[in-house]
Every structure is written in C-alpha cells, then in structure tokens.
Amino acid sequence: MPFAHASSMLRLPTLAAVAGLLLFACASASQPTTPRARPAVGTIDRAASRALIERTNAQRTQRGLQPLRRDARLDSIACRHSRDMLARNYMGHVSPDGVRPDDRGARFHRTLIGGFGENVWSLSGADLRGDALAAQAMRGWMNSPGHRANILSPDYTHLGACIVHQGRQSYRGTQFFARAAAYLADPLPYRWQPGAMQAVRVQPQGSRPAPTFYAFDDGGADKPMKYTFNDTLRAPQTPGTYRLELWFLSSRQGDYQYYDVAKGPRIRVR
C-alpha cells in the first residue's frame, strides 16, 4: 500500500492567504498518536534492506532523477514499523493503535525538518533472501501506481528501508522516504519543561536560507504563534504535545514575503 498524503511543507505569504501545498506527509485532524516501544520481533535481512535502496536509486537514475541519500534514522523507523507489522500480524500504514507514518517520523527522527512518505509490503510462504527478496518487493511496488509514484518522486531526498522476516516464511518490508528541508545539528529533546529554552543549530539543505521564524503547533484549529528564530527555541507554557515548525524565506514579490514552512520533530511539554 502506498502512502502519499498532503503536506507538511507549506508556502505561506506574510500578507496574503496560503499560496500552496508541497510534498508528502500525513496531515491528521485527530490528535497525534505517540508510538510505543515494543519488543523487537523478527530478523532484519540487512542485505535485502540495502538492496532495496540500491534498486530504488537504480530506478531513479535510469529516469534522470537524483538518487536518494540513505539516512540511518529512517532505516531505524522503517525497521520499527516492519517489526511491528510482523509482531501484530497486519500490513498497512496505520498501526492498530492509530500510529501513522507522520507520527513515526516526528517522534523518532529527532533532527529532520521536512516531510515523510512510506511504502509497505508483505510476503508469506516463500524462502527468499538478500537481493532476490528486495527484487520481489520492488517488482510489486513498481507495478503499483501509488508505490511507484513514491519511488520516483522528485520531491524526496532521503530514504530508509528495512525488510524483516520470521523463519524465512513471513516477511514485512518498509521504505520510509523523507524530503529534508533542513537538519538539526543535534537531536531535539522530546520532553520539555514549560517555557524551557534550547539552543539549536539548523543546517538547511541545498540553497535554502537559514530559518526566519519558528513555531510549535499543537495540531489544533488555531494557527500557532510564530517567533523570530535566533538559534534558540522556547517551549510553550501550556503542557501538551507540539510539532516544531521552521519558516524559510522562499521569495519576495513586492510587499509580500513567501515562506516554506517545514515541520520538524514532535515534543511533549509537561
């Protein structure tokens, strides 16, 4: 099943309405669900996981697209989801307790600022390993329009992948994609005291400038208050769960300034 949903990257003007939506990430009207730690189930086929990334990049470069850079934290998120699907005997993007791809990315990738996407896969009753196993998964994904669109999306920049198995008879695989607008130099803490301050260093990707503003979004109907970014973040005073947003100036048109708004890690204030 492919996961390609509307965006955590928004281009916003300072004096006008929302200009547009970019990228792929989950946008849920419900409160975010925090993934829970569970015992590891299944064995990672590291050769197959590595081959998934190699085969993905081969498909992209054949079509003139940039290869995706491997990100070890995305690998870890992909393995966590593959193992969860195997342990609880399901196959999908939303776990039985409501955890979505964007929840996983926001909770467990503590340095990436951007959006996420996901492909998942399952196989039973076969004894495959290594590149042959990766080839089987890629064949299915490339024959599915939604999965293929994720693999060949020009918006994504990074990838993690993981195939796990139980007794070489039951398999689950996950590709976890990211569009990185920036990285934090150090992981952002998850737990914060109300009003706590944290120095951060932002490393924009490509030609993107340093962020101008930041905000913490609680997922509610009201727009979050934005603050000038000066290499320091201040946590909200009200306890709750929030998602970091960074605002990057993208263009100027007369009196208007347009920003790309990219979401980062989720935090909990208590």
Side-chain angles (χ1 to χ4, degrees):
M1 297 172 64
F3 174 78
H5 219 287
S7 139
S8 69
M9 290 284 291
L10 307 178
R11 178 164 293 171
L12 298 180
T14 55
L15 301 177
V18 173
L21 297 176
L22 304 174
L23 302 186
F24 300 91
C26 181
S28 173
S30 61
Q31 288 296 313
T33 302
T34 300
R36 297 178 181 178
R38 297 181 183 278
V41 172
T43 301
I44 299 172
D45 189 318
R46 299 192 183 280
S49 302
R50 182 172 59 251
L52 273 185
I53 292 179
E54 293 169 352
R55 285 179 169 273
T56 295
N57 282 333
Q59 293 289 344
R60 292 176 64 88
T61 55
Q62 287 170 15
R63 294 163 175 81
L65 297 167
Q66 288 294 315
L68 301 176
R69 284 166 281 177
R70 189 170 189 176
D71 182 318
R73 295 181 185 89
L74 298 178
D75 284 340
S76 177
I77 294 169
C79 286
R80 178 184 291 271
H81 188 50
S82 293
R83 280 178 151 161
D84 188 59
M85 290 191 292
L86 194 62
R88 296 199 276 176
N89 193 30
Y90 74 97
M91 205 277 285
H93 302 294
V94 183
S95 72
D97 45 0
V99 177
R100 299 175 180 274
D102 205 39
D103 297 322
R104 292 189 282 277
R107 176 64 180 89
F108 295 117
H109 204 309
R110 306 305 302 169
T111 61
L112 190 140
I113 309 296
F116 301 105
E118 182 180 83
N119 285 344
V120 297
W121 171 83
S122 68
L123 178 69
S124 298
D127 185 0
L128 297 173
R129 60 197 70 207
D131 187 65
L133 184 57
Q136 182 85 355
M138 285 295 296
R139 190 177 303 114
W141 282 331
M142 290 302 291
N143 287 330
S144 165
H147 296 90
R148 181 187 177 96
N150 275 347
I151 289 169
L152 301 180
S153 171
D155 292 321
Y156 290 127
T157 58
H158 293 74
L159 176 65
C162 186
I163 293 181
V164 301
H165 67 90
Q166 201 160 33
R168 290 292 174 188
Q169 289 296 308
S170 183
Y171 304 83
R172 296 293 189 276
T174 303
Q175 286 180 311
F176 207 77
F177 301 88
R179 161 63 159 99
Y183 276 89
L184 304 179
D186 301 296
L188 193 69
Y190 178 63
R191 293 180 175 83
W192 292 55
Q193 296 292 324
M197 298 184 68
Q198 175 77 35
V200 297
R201 288 184 295 137
V202 178
Q203 301 168 335
Q205 299 293 287
S207 59
R208 195 178 300 274
T212 306
F213 303 108
Y214 77 93
F216 282 108
D217 185 5
D218 65 0
D222 295 333
K223 292 183 178 180
M225 181 74 72
K226 70 179 188 295
Y227 302 93
T228 300
F229 179 73
N230 58 4
D231 299 324
T232 302
L233 303 176
R234 183 188 292 273
Q237 292 288 347
T238 303
T241 302
Y242 298 85
R243 186 92 180 264
L244 173 65
E245 292 182 350
L246 294 181
W247 293 49
F248 299 89
L249 181 65
S250 61
S251 64
R252 290 186 174 91
Q253 297 180 18
D255 293 333
Y256 294 92
Q257 294 179 332
Y258 290 81
Y259 291 86
D260 288 336
V261 182
K263 292 186 179 294
R266 184 166 287 135
I267 68 167
R268 186 172 185 185
V269 178
R270 58 181 303 176

